[in-house]
Amino acid sequence: MSTVPTQSRRVSQRQPLACRECTKSKRKCSKTIPCTRCSRLRLSCSREIVQLQRSAARHGAEVDFLDSLVGDLNLLLESTSATAKLELPQIISKVRNRIFRLQTGLETSLDPQPPVPEPPLPPGPNEAQYHAEPVEPASSSLVTAIEHLAWGRDSAGCFPHLKCGCQYSRPVVSRANPRSSQRSFDLGLDASIAEKLIRFHLCHMAWHHDCIHAPTFLEQCEKFWRTGEMDHALWMALYLSVLGATVFAMRISSRAKAAVNIDLDMMPPADQFLTAMLEALYAGHFLEDMSIYALQAIVISTEVAHNLGRSQLNATLFKAAVRIAEYLGVHRIREARGASLDTEEAWIETVQREVGKRVWCQMLIQDHFAIPFTNTYSISPSQYSTGSPLNADDYDLTDMPQTVPTVSSYVRALRKIADLMPSLIDGLGSMGQPKPLREQYAHVLLLDKRMRSVVKGFPRFLLQPDAEKELEIPWLGIARRSLAITAAEKIIMIHRPFLFLSFHSSSYQHTRRTCVAAALTILREHETIINEGDFFVWTHSAFCITAAIILCFEVSVASKDSTGGPETDKFRLAILAARNRLADQKSDILAQRGVTLIDAIFASEGNLDLDFYRAVADVLRFGQTTQGNSSSNSSSSTTTTTTTLPMLPDITEPYRSPGNTATPDSQSTFDPHPDNMDFETWFNHIFYHLNSSAT
């Protein structure tokens, strides 16, 4: 079969009949193979196979896709197991024959076929190693890829789709779309104001999601402001998502307001940007015309969606984003080893590949951190191969040691924590058959230890203050505090399966002490951020609510047991202070719901007669009153529950396997992990390096 690459085959209106030698020598040919002249001169005789012009027009896209598929298969052939190598050459041969037929109109190649290797003899009785060798399902994935042609799908293992022929292929040159097609999403925002907001976001907020290559996005924005043209219809959704997150953050943070000279009263509320983003997604047919821009828009919208009371919408969009990412192949981006960035095409491909890795990394984080609320995860650790983004700054994308702070440093750290979370829920057993309590709790303590070990390995600039570095990097200080809050909350997340039970059983006192100490840490860091007017991150409100609720439980149980004292009074003051800070965030619906929930639970102190779930009903009523309101009017006043509300429900065990009738107190008391260090001591040692001489 001909092995001439598709791109190098000459295009002609018909297949030549004269042989190569006669054509080259400009001699008359008998037009037989071998021809009379070549036979007489004992020359090698063959005809040139050309690509028919009509075939190139009719089948160009399919040929390009099949050609890219052959390239992928050849790469797979070089790295796959011995068993799969027996089948792959035959499949490659079939695909090449199809390409040959589409290009030339001929049924079979004139070149001889390569011999198919014979299968080896079955292993002897002593060849146990053969049976232990893992067999990669290469042919299975290939069959799926070919079958997708009939379904109108592509397997899309070729992100960023600059050189492939699949349906998601896009050339290096941008496809411009007129502004008129997107005029309904304008929101009356002046270009000069939009530029200030975008530049603020790239400088002070992009580190938290790391889903943008700042120079590329800014260049796209400048082109849009200047000409009204966009790289893709769905780019508008990304643009609106970034603006919405920025506008909301500026309303919360006094430091952000001071950094940008904008009259926020004249700005559309953040909720309108989120609604416009959703309209742009649907106008761009994001579920069919799949694009990385849709993924970026959805993932970045998480920065504000929960605070605007749109958590269900965000969760639904995220589930769709996971499937879109899989179709685009974002979950299996290949590393470009030794690639040179000397050409513009190579640079663009590197940028898009890195953006894909950044988006996938953020999707992993959001998916795995949502496990406690869904008891499941959408992205299985064994079903993706995309690695972490480079520890690189945007201007050169040069991978740096992790000790060097870059725009990706924070997200890379969060991913290491997120990678632990699937094993947390898997180690508890299935929903239908959970493991016994003793095994579950041993697993929780093990994850606690692993979590602390991961955090201990983070670079120093993310753990301890460095005034000099924080002057150079504007976001470094708030990133360090955000990581401290997140690390404390993830410790609570690990212990969450036994959190309520720990307030009722002495067997789980380590969980109770750990979670209370972590809650105090979160509230302390949150208070510092608010007092300094530092830049807003949506998780600050969410985790502050979690911490305050845990302290409410601690105070309620202490009041019930009559064990309250100075420590309980300190908890009450911390709860009240957190409640007031949340209440001051008038445009944050999540914060206002947190205030309602804190009031409902805290009001139940010492009351053993009422139903706990009335607290939930109060929060649901508050949610109904705020649903659909814009962020500017979401909570002019704070809802406060005056009715006396209940204590914690009498939970006896979180996960009991069938046949396990042991009560919690009959389980053995677990000691903390071998470090034997309580949370507050560990936290201060890691994040502030406090020692006995510290004051």
Side-chain angles (χ1 to χ4, degrees):
M1 184 178 63
S2 176
T3 58
V4 178
T6 300
Q7 291 81 0
S8 62
R9 191 172 274 141
R10 185 169 64 88
V11 178
S12 178
Q13 292 186 357
R14 61 187 179 186
Q15 294 291 347
L17 298 178
C19 73
R20 285 189 173 95
E21 286 294 330
C22 291
T23 302
K24 182 180 177 181
S25 303
K26 298 183 179 180
R27 302 284 181 159
K28 184 177 180 181
C29 182
S30 64
K31 299 180 182 179
T32 59
I33 300 296
C35 70
T36 304
R37 178 175 175 272
C38 289
S39 296
R40 177 169 50 86
L41 298 176
R42 296 182 180 180
L43 299 175
S44 175
C45 186
S46 64
R47 289 193 186 104
E48 179 190 11
I49 305 298
V50 300
Q51 181 176 351
L52 297 181
Q53 192 173 34
R54 61 180 181 274
S55 298
R58 291 179 60 187
H59 307 297
E62 185 178 357
V63 168
D64 289 342
F65 167 69
L66 292 173
D67 221 14
S68 69
L69 185 60
V70 168
D72 293 342
L73 292 172
N74 281 324
L75 290 176
L76 186 63
L77 182 61
E78 295 173 3
S79 60
T80 194
S81 65
T83 304
K85 284 184 178 180
L86 299 177
E87 302 176 7
L88 280 173
Q90 301 177 52
I91 300 173
I92 293 174
S93 177
K94 291 180 181 178
V95 176
R96 280 181 171 158
N97 278 331
R98 174 63 175 166
I99 295 174
F100 181 84
R101 182 175 175 277
L102 290 173
Q103 290 181 327
T104 66
L106 303 176
E107 288 297 326
T108 57
S109 171
L110 300 180
D111 295 342
Q113 299 288 334
V116 177
E118 295 183 4
L121 293 175
N126 297 327
E127 297 181 73
Q129 184 179 359
Y130 177 89
H131 299 281
E133 179 186 355
V135 177
E136 298 179 18
S139 59
S140 174
S141 60
L142 179 61
V143 170
T144 302
I146 296 175
E147 186 181 9
H148 277 178
L149 294 176
W151 289 79
R153 296 180 183 176
D154 290 326
S155 57
C158 40
F159 187 88
H161 307 292
L162 296 179
K163 299 178 181 178
C164 64
C166 75
Q167 69 187 77
Y168 309 118
S169 174
R170 301 186 72 240
V172 172
V173 179
S174 300
R175 300 174 180 175
N177 293 311
R179 184 177 194 165
S180 58
S181 64
Q182 298 290 341
R183 62 181 179 272
S184 61
F185 309 123
D186 191 284
L187 296 182
L189 193 63
D190 184 75
S192 61
I193 296 178
E195 182 175 2
K196 291 181 180 179
L197 293 172
I198 293 296
R199 290 186 180 276
F200 173 83
H201 186 103
L202 297 179
C203 182
H204 296 285
M205 296 180 64
W207 61 270
H208 190 252
H209 55 75
D210 191 35
C211 290
I212 291 175
H213 181 253
T216 299
F217 181 65
L218 188 58
E219 181 182 346
Q220 293 167 341
C221 290
E222 290 172 343
K223 180 180 179 181
F224 173 68
W225 297 325
R226 187 175 64 255
T227 67
E229 294 182 347
M230 295 172 291
D231 183 58
H232 190 281
L234 289 169
W235 179 87
M236 176 56 69
L238 168 61
Y239 178 70
L240 293 167
S241 183
V242 171
L243 287 175
T246 310
V247 168
F248 187 87
M250 293 186 66
R251 293 186 185 277
I252 300 291
S253 168
S254 60
R255 186 176 293 183
K257 294 176 186 175
V260 183
N261 184 22
I262 291 178
D263 184 2
L264 291 176
D265 293 334
M266 303 300 294
M267 293 289 299
D271 192 64
Q272 287 189 21
F273 284 100
L274 186 62
T275 300
M277 179 210 77
L278 188 63
E279 293 173 354
L281 286 174
Y282 281 105
H285 305 287
F286 78 108
L287 295 176
E288 291 184 278
D289 186 12
M290 299 178 187
S291 168
I292 190 69
Y293 294 128
L295 301 183
Q296 290 174 284
I298 292 170
V299 172
I300 294 175
S301 71
T302 303
E303 298 284 322
V304 68
H306 300 291
N307 305 88
L308 294 174
R310 311 289 288 275
S311 293
Q312 295 283 36
L313 169 66
N314 178 260
T316 304
L317 286 175
F318 181 81
K319 292 289 186 181
V322 172
R323 183 50 60 92
I324 292 172
E326 291 170 348
Y327 279 133
L328 290 175
V330 179
H331 65 311
R332 46 190 176 125
I333 299 176
R334 295 190 184 96
E335 298 290 342
R337 303 188 183 280
S340 172
L341 301 181
D342 295 338
T343 66
E344 181 182 6
E345 183 178 356
W347 170 252
I348 292 175
E349 183 176 359
T350 299
V351 167
Q352 294 195 16
R353 182 185 294 108
E354 194 61 23
V355 168
K357 290 164 64 178
R358 291 178 176 186
V359 170
W360 184 252
C361 181
Q362 183 59 225
M363 293 179 73
L364 284 175
I365 292 169
Q366 293 188 18
D367 180 60
H368 293 352
F369 282 174
I371 285 175
F373 308 101
T374 61
N375 287 325
T376 186
Y377 46 87
S378 299
I379 302 175
S380 172
S382 63
Q383 300 302 316
Y384 67 86
S385 58
T386 300
S388 295
L390 299 175
N391 187 48
D393 282 316
D394 287 341
Y395 69 92
D396 62 355
L397 292 181
T398 300
D399 197 18
M400 304 296 291
Q402 78 161 3
T403 54
V404 177
T406 71
V407 70
S408 297
S409 295
Y410 178 83
V411 169
R412 283 167 55 90
L414 282 196
R415 175 167 177 173
K416 293 178 181 178
I417 299 177
D419 286 343
L420 297 175
M421 298 308 159
S423 63
L424 170 63
I425 189 170
D426 291 343
L428 300 178
S430 66
M431 290 184 182
Q433 290 187 321
K435 294 180 180 179
L437 288 179
R438 180 181 181 83
E439 293 182 24
Q440 290 186 39
Y441 197 52
H443 179 67
V444 165
L445 295 181
L446 176 62
L447 262 293
D448 180 300
K449 181 180 178 181
R450 290 175 58 190
M451 164 72 181
R452 298 184 192 218
S453 177
V454 167
V455 173
K456 186 178 180 180
F458 288 161
R460 182 184 179 88
F461 61 83
L462 285 176
L463 299 178
Q464 299 169 16
D466 189 329
E468 185 176 342
K469 271 192 173 68
E470 290 175 16
L471 287 175
E472 298 174 3
I473 305 173
W475 51 263
L476 188 55
I478 187 62
R480 179 177 52 79
R481 292 197 181 280
S482 296
L483 183 60
I485 290 177
T486 300
E489 196 275 339
K490 297 316 165 192
I491 287 286
I492 295 174
M493 176 177 170
I494 288 173
H495 285 269
R496 188 182 292 262
F498 288 86
L499 178 57
F500 289 122
L501 187 56
S502 70
F503 290 104
H504 295 273
S505 171
S506 60
S507 297
Y508 309 108
Q509 284 301 299
H510 175 62
T511 287
R512 178 175 176 177
R513 291 194 306 268
T514 297
C515 292
V516 169
L520 285 171
T521 298
I522 292 172
L523 296 185
R524 182 172 63 243
E525 295 291 333
H526 183 261
E527 183 178 23
T528 301
I529 291 172
I530 296 298
N531 290 343
E532 294 179 356
D534 215 334
F535 301 114
F536 172 82
V537 176
W538 78 270
T539 53
H540 297 168
S541 296
F543 297 164
C544 178
I545 294 169
T546 299
I549 290 173
I550 289 174
L551 293 189
C552 284
F553 294 155
E554 176 68 19
V555 170
S556 295
V557 172
S559 299
K560 172 185 175 182
D561 298 339
S562 301
T563 57
E567 193 77 3
T568 303
D569 293 336
K570 183 180 74 171
F571 295 158
R572 288 192 181 97
L573 292 176
I575 295 168
L576 180 61
R579 180 219 180 273
N580 291 338
R581 291 195 301 272
L582 293 170
D584 288 339
Q585 296 174 200
K586 302 296 184 183
S587 60
D588 189 342
I589 294 179
L590 177 63
Q592 300 308 314
R593 287 176 175 169
V595 169
T596 303
L597 186 57
I598 291 170
D599 287 344
I601 299 175
F602 201 26
S604 70
E605 184 179 346
N607 189 329
L608 308 181
D609 299 325
L610 299 179
D611 183 7
F612 171 79
Y613 294 99
R614 281 189 55 191
V616 178
D618 281 356
V619 177
L620 291 176
R621 283 195 296 271
F622 175 81
Q624 292 170 355
T625 62
T626 58
Q627 187 174 9
N629 292 343
S630 66
S631 61
S632 59
N633 302 318
S634 62
S635 55
S636 300
S637 60
T638 302
T639 304
T640 304
T641 305
T642 56
T643 307
T644 305
L645 288 164
M647 287 291 297
L648 290 171
D650 186 16
I651 301 175
T652 57
E653 52 188 319
Y655 303 95
R656 176 178 290 177
S657 60
N660 178 14
T661 58
T663 61
D665 289 321
S666 68
Q667 307 280 340
S668 299
T669 302
F670 290 91
D671 293 326
H673 49 73
D675 291 344
N676 197 25
M677 184 184 294
D678 65 22
F679 175 83
E680 189 168 7
T681 303
W682 169 81
F683 182 90
N684 287 331
H685 175 74
I686 293 295
F687 282 89
Y688 294 101
H689 201 58
L690 297 182
N691 50 44
S692 57
S693 62
T695 57

